Amino acid sequence: MAKRFKNKTALITGSSQGIGSACALRLAEEGADIILNGHKFDERGEKLIKQIKNLGRKAEFIEADMSKVKSVLKLMKSAVKIYGTLDILVNNAGLETKADFLDVTEEDYDLVMNTNLKGVFFATQAFAKYCKDNKRNGVVVNMSSVHEEIAFPHFAAYCVSKGGLKMLTRNLASELAPIGVRINNVAPGAISTPINKELLANKKQLKMVLQNIPLKRMGKVEEVAAVVAFLASDDAAYVTGSTYFVDGGLSYDYQEQ
């Protein structure tokens, strides 16, 4: 595999499992040294560090709560110190809570919005400041969702956070271009990850979901990671402010209905 990220370092938030860990492995395979992140360093992080080191790359793990700005800023400062540079930020950390709109609590709303949008906002701000102060180019890839476009009943706060992320990315593409920072979104659809374990275990519900996907299957985390790698690389040097859907045609088919 081509080493598109030779001499590059990347921070992937929320990278203990699922799409985040797949992104970490893909970037490491292509030559990047990796900074992993999660709420807590556990056996998942240990396994991932071992996998990355087996690829001949360096890996470290930093605990941080992406819903708290103080924790986010500490993470960004620590990330730069580890290898002395930081070239790529993948804002992958995110969560969702299911509830009827009439039952959503302020606590649930704040948790989703703070993690999925506020944390991304201030992590990106800190990264952009670092790039500007050190006269370095940088790349940001945000993990959005098809639900930046498609309604998702009972997940209102989640949809609002991803819709906000779409606009944030478009706005920052313009504002950060003069300092050499590109920013894009990747919007997965139905992907086989731990967050979808209930769906994968419910054959009836899974069948209904697959009926709405033109490719008639769930996506793989590696397929999302491949698009992240493209956007983070110089192959996408003229791409900024865009959302790339990785959804088997779900969003296009939905818009055509």
Side-chain angles (χ1 to χ4, degrees), residues 234-256:
D234 289 340
D235 289 337
Y238 200 53
V239 181
T240 193
S242 296
T243 291
Y244 278 61
F245 289 92
V246 187
D247 63 358
L250 173 63
S251 55
Y252 175 78
D253 193 58
Y254 178 88
Q255 291 167 10
E256 289 294 300

Side-chain angles (χ1 to χ4, degrees), residues 71-192:
S71 180
V72 169
L73 297 182
K74 183 178 179 181
L75 166 66
M76 299 306 297
K77 187 175 182 180
S78 299
V80 171
K81 283 185 177 180
I82 285 180
Y83 301 129
T85 61
L86 186 61
D87 303 285
I88 300 161
L89 170 62
V90 180
N91 286 310
N92 174 73
L95 55 82
E96 60 185 35
T97 58
K98 182 178 181 180
D100 292 341
F101 174 69
L102 299 181
D103 297 327
V104 175
T105 65
E106 182 180 7
E107 182 180 24
D108 288 342
Y109 175 88
D110 286 345
L111 177 61
V112 172
M113 295 297 290
N114 288 348
T115 303
N116 297 3
L117 190 55
K118 187 177 181 179
V120 171
F121 188 106
F122 286 101
T124 303
Q125 183 189 71
F127 179 67
K129 285 181 177 180
Y130 161 76
C131 291
K132 181 181 180 181
D133 291 345
N134 291 274
K135 295 180 173 57
R136 296 177 62 88
N137 292 336
V139 182
V140 179
V141 182
N142 297 323
M143 197 59 62
S144 184
S145 165
V146 291
H147 299 296
E148 71 169 47
E149 291 285 349
I150 299 175
F152 194 14
H154 314 296
F155 291 88
Y158 180 77
C159 292
V160 170
S161 72
K162 297 304 182 179
L165 188 56
K166 173 186 176 180
M167 195 63 230
L168 177 65
T169 298
R170 292 172 66 184
N171 200 71
L172 294 186
S174 175
E175 195 166 342
L176 299 182
I179 63 171
V181 175
R182 294 190 297 107
I183 181 168
N184 291 286
N185 280 353
V186 173
I191 309 296
S192 296

